[in-house]
Amino acid sequence: MRTEDQDFTDFMHASADRLFRVAYLLTGDRHRAEDLAQDALARTFSAWRRVRQENAFGYARRVMVNLHTDWWRAHRWRERSVGELPVRAGAPDPAVAVVRRDSVVRALRTLTRRERTIVVLRYFADMPEAAVANELNISVGTVKSTAARALGKLRGTADLAEPTTVEGTR
């Protein structure tokens, strides 16, 4: 006759690797994941009489997620001392976005009406070639060749050649 300790030991050997993988995906840290999986197994053992009739792995995983959530809540606002201050980018300059958008619009204006329509539908609206062809009532080959020609023109556009900078920002 098997004892509860033997049942739990078998469960632990069968589940430890899977629990560790889940813990690692939760924490992103090997050592923290090992601790988390061990804590979950310890708590599962203390409830083993009730748990073994249910889904033991599901119970241990749920315990682990709850422990991780508790740890995260307790540690998220704590001060941490570091050797160097982290580099923080300031808020993005809205002028950069305006200049980039203007550059794209000016570059699109250099294309023919058909080229511009195909580029906008194909790449900005993210439509497949067949849908663009159906929308414009032209062949898929025409969509492909026109898009290739238009992209070639856009690659040569000075506005799009270099990353846009506004007062030293990239």
Side-chain angles (χ1 to χ4, degrees), residues 37-94:
Q38 286 177 356
D39 289 346
L41 285 170
R43 294 211 183 175
T44 302
F45 178 71
S46 65
W48 186 247
R49 282 184 183 210
R50 180 174 41 90
V51 171
R52 70 179 175 170
Q53 272 72 7
E54 300 171 11
N55 176 6
F57 182 78
Y59 180 87
R61 186 184 57 231
R62 184 76 240 159
V63 166
M64 193 166 49
V65 169
N66 289 341
L67 286 171
H68 177 65
T69 301
D70 292 345
W71 180 87
W72 180 79
R73 285 179 180 155
H75 290 86
R76 76 175 158 180
W77 297 117
R78 278 198 188 152
E79 285 186 31
R80 294 177 188 90
S81 59
V82 294
E84 292 182 30
L85 291 176
V87 177
R88 291 195 174 198
D93 186 2

Side-chain angles (χ1 to χ4, degrees), residues 100-113:
R100 285 188 180 143
R101 191 170 27 252
D102 183 59
S103 298
V104 170
V105 169
R106 278 188 281 129
L108 287 172
R109 285 185 186 141
T110 65
L111 302 176
T112 66
R113 185 184 57 78

Side-chain angles (χ1 to χ4, degrees), residues 7 15 21 45 54 56 71 74 87 140 145 152 154 156:
D7 287 343
S15 304
R21 283 192 295 271
F45 178 71
E54 300 171 11
W71 180 87
V87 177
V140 174
S145 62
L154 290 175

Side-chain angles (χ1 to χ4, degrees), residues 2 31 34 36 45 65 72-73 105 133-134 136 140 142 149 154 162:
R2 294 183 58 81
H31 302 292
E34 288 172 350
L36 188 60
F45 178 71
V65 169
W72 180 79
R73 285 179 180 155
V105 169
N134 188 37
L136 301 177
V140 174
T142 302
R149 190 172 44 254
L154 290 175
E162 290 294 319

